[in-house]
Amino acid sequence: MTRFPTHNKKLKDWVNRMAKLCQPDDIVWIDGTDAQKAALEQDALTRSELIQLNPEKLPGCFLHRTAVDDVARTEHLTFICTRKKHTAGPTNNWMAPRTAYRKAKAIFKGAMRGRTMYVIPFSMGPVGSRFSKIGVELTDSRYVVLNMLIMTRAGEAVLRQLEKEDNFTKCLHSRAQLDINKRLILHFPEDNTIWSVGSGYGGNVLLGKKCLSLRIASYLGLREHWLAEHMLIMGIEEPNGHIEYIAAAFPSACGKTNLAMLVPPEGLKVKGYRIWTVGDDIAWMRVDSDGMLWAVNPETGFFGVAPGTNSGTNPNMVETIKKNTIFTNVLLKADKTVWWEGADGEIPADGIDWQSRAWKPGAKDANGKPILGAHPNSRFTAPIVNCPSASFRMEQPHGVPISAIIFGGRRQHLAPLVYETFNWQHGVFAGATMASERTAAQVGELGQVRRDPMAMLPFCGYNMADYFRHWLNMGKRMARPPKIFHVNWFRTDEKGEFLWPGFRENLRILEWILDRCNARVGALKTAIGYVPYPADIDMTGLNLDAGALEKLLEVRNADWLEELKGIKKFFNQFKRSLPPELWQEYKTLQERLKSHE
Ligand code: GTP
Ligand code: SPV
Ligand code: MN
């Protein structure tokens, strides 16, 4: 047996077994030192896996391009592998563990020949905190290693922790042939194991992120009475210096990152609000002895959507990605800086697009569609510490207390700008019935409305009926549960234009939400929940068209009655497993909608 820098027998045995399967030329343990990172970067540059960006303008930054058919999460190739199909539930792809291991083994077999296997010990959450979870990812991708070093706490300190505790999620990844027909993203919650093969794209391969921190963690959370959620966490410092924290779940590419680090709009500046970013994608939440819900962000970096990011929409992110950032699938400019659709400055006269082709603005493909410089799901990986609004409570194992939970999605017509649910159970119903128009963050048809409960449809590691019940139970465990709200920044007018300017202006809605949490304003009771009186939203400095706010806040009962049909269909697939409380909410909503008609 090779000598490994650990006494943990379980770890040593597992690494040996996986090495035997994948047959790498050598094994390198990631220690988290700057020297090792620099060596990996050099290696990746030599092999053209990374492109060095302009060291004056973008110090410590690199560009990476993935395969053309490997640019977003592939949900149809993502499986929950539990002994019983019922455990995975009707919304997940399921495979029996034996079949899954067998199929994947055939692809992993010898896949690392001629390559190095890197062993990345990583901790989601501060190392050693009892709220944290440890994983070890084996990978043959230097891009994965360098991303994991940004996104997680990885290296020596985690190995030391593994001398004391035995439990870790076994994560195996190989690029193999990057063949979409031999690509599988497999989760074995009953074995605390993740196997991913045939991809090099973020969510498929940075196994600490969606695979561990949501799919596996949600399964653990059910057993250990906590919640692993696809949510941003942010602090809103009020003019009096008091900070209130909120968590918000929006589906992929629906605005979590942007909201988490917003800069207050001019009109509200005099009030002195300040935003503190705790996390932009994942929240782990527990009930504490004070009866409140506390949240931590288990990650240490952002894996954010590039297109649309500029100094107007997200100045804090523009600042964050000026150094030590890995860009994926964006346009490369002649001066070795990067660009994407909706970036700052002028559209470059030329460049190399995300598919390594010479690019000029205005170019069209064979179907007359514009050729984009950056892929719509192009991303950047950047450390949270780079962010000017990074919270000073990031390292606190305990996290932050949550006053409000916000659900939201992209709905052109249905959902009003904001509404407040009546109570926890009704809030869980609002979350469970969320729907959103599809984005480029996952492979599939854009724009199509799909139900995405709590923004967790692709990320819940077990039967969603049990997940809803878990949410209902969590409410009962809390003396002071957060109030639950729903927002929609994406309502459009007859011309299809957004009615709401969004981005920093969203603070105006957060202000109303906090006012409601602190019983400072009244609200209009509608069939779906409480909606603001227009006068209670501070519109200072924002010149919306006359009547636009009223249009944004309108609740059209006929539309909601139509929506109930889709909800019913969605609920029906859970058969008798669905908590009766949700059918009860369905019926009372239906009655309210009919009586208000
Ligand atoms: P994931 O990283 O995929 O989980 O996405 P996310 O939820 O963090 O979304 P993100 O903040 O990156 O935003 C995705 C896209 O939505 C970007 O192109 C943004 O420009 C756009 N967007 C974000 N907030 C708003 C908003 O308030 N209004 C409008 N119209 N667009 C927004
Ligand atoms: C998402 O798709 O929700 C993301 C990006 O945050 S990924 O890590 O690819 O899942
Ligand atoms: Mn996400």
Side-chain angles (χ1 to χ4, degrees):
M1 188 190 274
T2 330
R3 272 184 70 82
F4 288 154
T6 176
H7 298 108
N8 186 316
K9 184 163 182 321
K10 183 170 147 190
L11 176 57
K12 283 197 283 195
D13 288 350
W14 172 66
V15 173
N16 271 319
R17 262 188 290 122
M18 295 306 108
K20 217 168 148 193
L21 171 65
C22 302
Q23 297 170 28
D25 283 9
D26 56 352
I27 300 178
V28 169
W29 290 67
I30 298 303
D31 57 17
T33 58
D34 289 344
Q36 192 187 46
K37 178 166 167 268
L40 279 164
E41 288 166 355
Q42 275 315 313
D43 210 358
L45 288 171
T46 314
R47 296 164 192 261
S48 306
E49 294 158 2
L50 292 181
I51 294 168
Q52 175 103 53
L53 294 173
N54 187 315
E56 270 89 53
K57 294 178 181 167
L58 292 169
C61 294
F62 301 92
L63 169 65
H64 172 79
R65 298 191 189 104
T66 62
V68 177
D69 62 359
D70 193 20
V71 290
R73 280 181 293 100
T74 37
E75 294 178 1
H76 62 295
L77 303 174
T78 302
F79 291 83
I80 302 297
C81 311
T82 45
R83 283 189 297 272
K84 292 196 186 113
K85 185 167 189 227
H86 184 78
T87 314
T91 59
N92 277 312
N93 299 316
W94 173 84
M95 216 190 282
R98 279 179 56 179
T99 316
Y101 281 126
R102 181 171 44 76
K103 281 195 175 167
K105 262 186 191 156
I107 312 172
F108 274 115
K109 196 167 175 203
M112 295 189 188
R113 259 183 231 145
R115 298 180 186 174
T116 298
M117 174 192 266
Y118 298 96
V119 184
I120 318 168
F122 65 95
S123 175
M124 300 315 297
V127 181
S129 155
R130 67 185 187 91
F131 301 114
S132 301
K133 298 285 176 201
I134 288 180
V136 180
E137 177 162 354
L138 310 179
T139 179
D140 56 6
S141 160
R142 277 166 286 273
Y143 170 76
V144 167
V145 176
L146 292 169
N147 273 274
M148 288 291 282
L149 286 170
I150 297 174
M151 297 303 295
T152 74
R153 296 155 174 96
E156 185 59 37
V158 181
L159 267 195
R160 278 204 306 275
Q161 185 63 25
L162 276 174
E163 300 290 333
K164 289 180 251 171
E165 65 177 87
D166 220 20
N167 246 341
F168 63 94
T169 306
K170 300 184 281 296
C171 307
L172 176 65
H173 166 252
S174 172
R175 292 173 291 145
Q177 307 305 314
L178 291 178
D179 177 353
I180 192 164
N181 298 311
K182 290 182 182 168
R183 183 175 299 162
L184 288 169
I185 324 296
L186 307 173
H187 305 72
F188 304 89
E190 289 152 350
D191 302 343
N192 203 3
T193 294
I194 301 160
W195 279 19
S196 163
V197 67
S199 172
Y201 168 75
N204 287 341
V205 300
L206 309 178
L207 301 184
K209 198 175 181 51
K210 296 305 191 336
C211 302
L212 192 163
S213 292
L214 290 179
R215 298 197 189 94
I216 296 291
S218 62
Y219 178 88
L220 295 173
L222 174 70
R223 272 146 195 84
E224 300 166 2
H225 309 295
W226 54 281
L227 292 167
E229 298 298 327
H230 190 201
M231 290 182 179
L232 67 91
I233 309 166
M234 69 195 284
I236 300 150
E237 185 173 330
E238 298 194 317
N240 61 13
H242 174 69
I243 307 180
E244 297 250 11
Y245 292 90
I246 62 170
F250 311 150
S252 302
C254 289
K256 290 182 298 300
T257 301
N258 279 273
L259 189 67
M261 57 190 70
L262 71 77
V263 170
E266 274 316 310
L268 291 195
K269 274 227 172 97
V270 286
K271 287 186 165 173
Y273 281 108
R274 181 162 183 186
I275 300 305
W276 297 98
T277 308
V278 182
D280 79 325
D281 201 47
I282 294 171
W284 285 359
M285 306 198 286
R286 290 168 191 271
V287 182
D288 203 358
S289 52
D290 61 357
M292 287 191 64
L293 193 62
W294 290 70
V296 298
N297 168 18
E299 302 188 287
T300 52
F302 305 123
F303 183 61
V305 176
T309 306
N310 62 53
S311 322
T313 56
N314 196 346
N316 278 329
M317 190 56 100
V318 169
E319 210 44 54
T320 305
I321 58 181
K322 281 186 174 162
K323 58 177 185 190
N324 303 334
T325 297
I326 302 172
F327 295 88
T328 302
N329 295 338
V330 299
L331 180 99
L332 179 65
K333 297 205 304 191
D335 66 350
K336 291 282 164 80
T337 62
V338 289
W339 182 85
W340 46 81
E341 279 66 24
D344 279 330
E346 304 213 336
I347 300 177
D350 52 35
I352 310 289
D353 74 5
W354 67 275
Q355 301 186 55
S356 307
R357 303 174 305 193
W359 180 90
K360 280 195 187 313
K364 301 241 164 64
D365 68 12
N367 302 319
K369 275 213 198 136
I371 296 177
L372 300 176
H375 187 273
N377 190 41
S378 55
R379 299 218 169 216
F380 39 68
T381 320
I384 295 187
V385 290
N386 281 6
C387 182
S389 61
S391 167
F392 54 90
R393 293 176 81 164
M394 278 301 301
E395 289 302 316
Q396 281 198 4
H398 212 82
V400 295
I402 298 297
S403 304
I405 287 175
I406 307 176
F407 294 123
R410 287 177 189 259
R411 294 308 294 267
Q412 284 183 22
H413 305 296
L414 184 76
L417 183 56
V418 59
Y419 69 91
E420 176 192 333
T421 61
F422 296 123
N423 51 48
W424 183 266
Q425 179 174 306
H426 179 226
V428 173
F429 174 82
T433 56
M434 259 168 74
S436 192
E437 288 134 21
R438 287 177 72 119
T439 65
Q442 66 289 114
V443 173
E445 198 185 321
L446 296 184
Q448 177 195 49
V449 173
R450 74 161 176 183
R451 307 227 83 82
D452 190 351
M454 281 90 169
M456 281 288 278
L457 181 79
F459 307 121
C460 185
Y462 61 99
N463 194 321
M464 276 202 128
D466 296 330
Y467 171 74
F468 299 146
R469 191 180 314 279
H470 181 42
W471 263 83
L472 293 168
N473 288 341
M474 286 294 287
K476 291 181 198 133
R477 298 172 78 91
M478 283 180 261
R480 282 182 292 156
K483 272 182 183 284
I484 299 180
F485 296 81
H486 187 284
V487 299
N488 176 21
W489 315 136
F490 301 95
R491 208 175 227 190
T492 53
D493 60 15
E494 306 76 37
K495 285 177 270 159
E497 314 236 335
F498 291 127
L499 279 161
W500 179 248
F503 300 101
R504 62 182 67 203
E505 310 299 341
N506 294 335
L507 180 60
R508 299 171 193 275
I509 305 308
L510 299 186
E511 188 182 34
W512 180 79
I513 286 174
L514 292 183
D515 281 345
R516 287 296 294 169
C517 290
N518 292 290
R520 291 190 287 246
V521 293
L524 177 71
K525 191 170 182 181
T526 74
I528 61 164
Y530 295 110
V531 172
Y533 294 119
D536 286 330
I537 305 222
D538 188 341
M539 299 290 273
T540 313
L542 184 62
N543 297 311
L544 282 198
D545 292 348
L549 189 56
E550 286 72 13
K551 257 194 222 163
L552 277 157
L553 294 173
E554 196 188 352
V555 176
R556 294 187 285 262
N557 283 10
D559 293 359
W560 281 93
L561 279 166
E562 194 57 35
E563 179 79 358
L564 281 182
K565 292 180 189 161
I567 293 175
K568 188 174 194 173
K569 210 169 140 203
F570 180 71
F571 276 0
N572 271 336
Q573 64 183 326
F574 297 102
K575 306 211 169 76
R576 295 168 67 94
S577 304
L578 195 85
E581 291 93 330
L582 293 182
W583 277 124
Q584 188 191 322
E585 288 295 332
Y586 175 96
K587 288 199 189 90
T588 51
L589 172 60
Q590 190 171 43
E591 280 157 23
R592 287 195 304 268
L593 287 166
K594 283 186 173 156
S595 65
H596 282 70
E597 231 173 359

